[in-house]
Amino acid sequence: MPKGLPLIGHVLSFAKDPSGYLLQITKEHGDVVNMNFGPRGMTLITRPSLVALVLRDQAKKFKKPYRGFPALNALIGNGLLSSDGDFWLRQRRLSQPAFHREKIRAYAETMRTFTLRSLEQIPTELDLFEFLNTLTLEIVAKTLFNADLRGQSNRIGQALEEALLANRAQMAQPIPLPLSIPLPGHQRLKKAIGELDSIVFEMIQNERQNPSEFSLLSMLVAARDEDGSAMTDAQLRDEALTLLLAGHETTANALAWTFHLLLKHPDILAKASAEARSILGKDGCHLEDIGKFPLLKQIWQETLRLYPPAWSIGRTSLEDIQIGEYSIPKGQNIMLSQYVTHRNAEFFPDPEAFKPERWIEGFEKSLPDYAYFPFSAGPRVCIGNTFSEMEGMILLSTILAKVDFAKAADYKVEIYASLTMRPKNGLSVTTKSKAD
Ligand code: HEM
């Protein structure tokens, strides 16, 4: 085991700025650091060859740690993101067809039309992050659940927000406190989860009464075990909430960070808008346009390097394991961090700089495995990676083609790292719609 860091200062620094702290200790102590995180030991591993051992080569020797975090557990229970072993494999196989390339291509039209619809009423001053969150939530609800969340997305967004706040507080507790302790944050969380449950159970109820021709929910509702038993409502609820959460916030974050970086680099923003406008007409980005934006693609890849929405990944060892030269005991918590690994100057010269041009043809292939892994890789790779990349291109190009942005007077962006990495104060901008 690598040498440990002292407990107290370390927990406080992590609580204050999780991603910044992990970067700092990696710079100071190397790419494998043992953090004495109270009774829960935590080893931070950021060297790509070792990350590959955890996520791919020895993946079966690890489980997900989420069940140990009561806030997250109450939110997503035993859904695809948090379940393990044979149970996870079965649920993954059931869900996978909804993410096949052909299915995803059919979602492009919803992504385009929903974007155009939301741009019709875009105010001249707004929080662009909130706007993107609403849009991606409506898209994932329509594409995967055939549900129209217009008018409800604010309620859902606020409830998810409460859950993420409670999770952030628990990430920094050496032993996460059970929700039965009546802290104000816990009370708010329970109320928020009650709201989310009522919306999701209603979706399930609707699906049972009026089965849709095709949706992920319809497939899950229709699925039968070998013994003929169907998924319980409780399991359907966990899967649905997992996908609603994982399927919108991450992409909204990626887009919000993209706009943040573009606003910081007006020269690149101008070129990106010009690229979008040279290709697209007034009806936005169709499926066949997606491959026509080389600069936007580079910008998207560079954004996911600098601000990976899934900025860290946790695992717990199921047995004693050798990871490179390190012996990891059974029950050890492991943390991997895309945010830190993506800032390794060996692979990304001038790592803090926003340089879309580094993603020239062949650059990604030249990197060692797991030097760049915004969607992870291996058996637990993000099920929504193709969905998200398509959504990113459609929304980014359509918005850039139709709207000009500038920072508002109160624009102030900081990193907020909880389960995901998002801009802390949102993205306060002014807009000017381009004449058609
Ligand atoms: C930029 C956007 C996205 C990023 C950066 C991202 C990243 C990730 C990462 C890193 C994981 C692995 C987590 C782990 O192993 O602990 C993951 C898993 C997952 N993602 Fe995504 N994701 C994105 C978008 C989406 C979308 C759009 C969906 C659904 C529509 C989705 C659904 C999921 C699910 C269900 C899992 C769990 C998969 C499993 O373990 O089988 N994600 N995502």
Side-chain angles (χ1 to χ4, degrees):
M1 286 277 283
K3 211 167 108 284
L5 297 178
L7 170 66
I8 289 299
H10 161 74
V11 168
L12 292 179
S13 307
F14 180 75
K16 214 168 128 206
D17 174 13
S19 51
Y21 186 62
L22 297 190
L23 185 61
Q24 183 199 326
I25 60 174
T26 300
K27 283 184 181 154
E28 288 169 4
H29 301 275
D31 52 15
V32 181
V33 189
N34 194 26
M35 310 191 279
N36 283 330
F37 227 68
R40 292 188 290 134
M42 175 88 85
T43 305
L44 172 65
I45 299 179
T46 50
R47 189 188 311 164
S49 59
L50 302 184
V51 174
L53 292 178
V54 177
L55 291 181
R56 186 185 60 201
D57 307 335
Q58 306 207 44
K60 285 210 164 112
K61 298 179 182 168
F62 294 93
K63 64 171 182 157
K64 294 271 184 144
Y66 297 153
R67 306 304 301 274
F69 291 93
L72 210 50
N73 201 16
L75 182 66
I76 56 177
N78 208 24
L80 204 51
L81 190 63
S82 43
S83 56
D84 281 298
D86 291 345
F87 182 82
W88 161 77
L89 189 60
R90 173 177 176 267
Q91 297 298 101
R92 174 99 188 190
R93 286 188 178 142
L94 284 175
S95 305
Q96 197 71 56
F99 294 93
H100 283 161
R101 203 163 279 275
E102 281 318 303
K103 285 283 179 261
I104 290 184
R105 290 164 71 86
Y107 302 155
E109 203 43 21
T110 302
M111 295 171 179
R112 182 183 74 83
T113 51
F114 276 39
T115 308
L116 290 175
R117 185 181 78 182
S118 64
L119 288 177
E120 273 166 20
Q121 305 131 23
I122 194 166
T124 50
E125 274 187 46
L126 82 157
D127 176 354
L128 184 58
F129 179 48
E130 202 181 305
F131 173 88
L132 292 165
N133 257 302
T134 305
L135 177 55
T136 53
L137 182 60
E138 288 173 2
I139 288 173
V140 80
K142 180 69 189 163
T143 50
L144 299 186
F145 302 103
N146 195 28
D148 188 350
L149 289 190
R150 259 178 303 174
Q152 295 198 76
S153 37
N154 273 352
R155 257 171 78 209
I156 298 184
Q158 276 163 13
L160 288 173
E161 181 73 23
E162 274 311 331
L164 290 176
L165 280 174
N167 177 59
R168 161 82 185 247
Q170 297 204 325
M171 268 170 66
Q173 290 162 1
I175 304 177
L177 300 172
L179 299 183
S180 50
I181 299 180
L183 302 174
H186 289 178
Q187 311 286 67
R188 285 199 302 272
L189 173 70
K190 285 186 190 165
K191 189 164 168 269
I193 287 182
E195 286 253 340
L196 290 170
D197 280 353
S198 68
I199 294 167
V200 170
F201 282 126
E202 196 183 311
M203 273 189 198
I204 297 172
Q205 183 88 5
N206 282 345
E207 181 59 48
R208 286 203 195 286
Q209 282 164 1
N210 309 303
S212 49
E213 198 173 316
F214 173 82
S215 77
L216 174 62
L217 191 57
S218 67
M219 284 161 43
L220 296 178
V221 166
R224 292 290 175 271
D225 256 337
E226 285 102 61
D227 68 1
S229 59
M231 228 178 269
T232 61
D233 274 8
Q235 185 60 31
L236 285 169
R237 172 264 180 218
D238 288 354
E239 298 297 354
L241 258 183
T242 296
L243 281 160
L244 277 183
L245 177 65
H248 91 280
E249 225 251 341
T250 41
T251 310
N253 279 315
L255 285 164
W257 289 118
T258 304
F259 281 105
H260 169 61
L261 286 164
L262 290 175
L263 285 165
K264 242 175 117 177
H265 298 86
D267 50 329
I268 306 180
L269 172 58
K271 284 186 197 153
S273 300
E275 182 175 85
R277 287 167 194 179
S278 70
I279 305 288
L280 300 184
K282 62 180 179 187
D283 57 349
C285 179
H286 292 263
L287 181 65
E288 57 275 17
D289 299 323
I290 290 172
K292 298 179 184 164
F293 307 107
L295 176 60
L296 295 193
K297 178 144 189 266
Q298 291 179 337
I299 290 170
W300 174 256
Q301 286 177 297
E302 181 70 342
T303 303
L304 290 179
R305 181 184 74 79
L306 279 170
Y307 297 106
W311 65 280
S312 71
I313 291 182
R315 293 290 186 268
T316 306
S317 52
L318 289 165
E319 55 189 84
D320 293 348
I321 300 171
Q322 194 67 25
I323 295 287
E325 63 268 43
Y326 304 100
S327 306
I328 305 283
K330 178 179 174 182
Q332 177 75 1
N333 288 323
I334 305 287
M335 198 175 216
L336 315 169
S337 172
Q338 291 94 326
Y339 180 79
V340 177
T341 300
H342 291 179
R343 279 171 167 69
N344 187 329
E346 199 186 326
F347 313 120
F348 305 101
D350 197 4
E352 290 292 343
F354 175 58
K355 288 188 173 170
E357 68 276 14
R358 71 171 93 232
W359 294 94
I360 49 166
E361 189 86 36
F363 174 66
E364 190 169 359
K365 283 217 167 80
S366 75
L367 294 169
D369 289 353
Y370 294 88
Y372 179 70
F373 60 118
F375 294 98
S376 188
R380 302 298 296 250
V381 63
C382 175
I383 202 169
N385 53 0
T386 314
F387 181 110
S388 166
E389 292 194 312
M390 191 173 91
E391 186 178 22
M393 271 314 112
I394 293 181
L395 270 57
L396 184 60
S397 60
T398 303
I399 296 173
L400 282 174
K402 294 189 84 76
V403 182
D404 284 321
F405 292 95
K407 293 178 184 175
D410 59 346
Y411 187 95
K412 182 169 178 279
V413 170
E414 282 171 42
I415 288 179
Y416 182 83
S418 172
L419 184 60
T420 57
M421 173 166 280
R422 53 156 76 177
K424 184 172 179 182
N425 305 305
L427 225 59
S428 184
V429 299
T430 58
T431 67
K432 204 165 155 232
S433 295
K434 190 179 164 282
D436 284 332

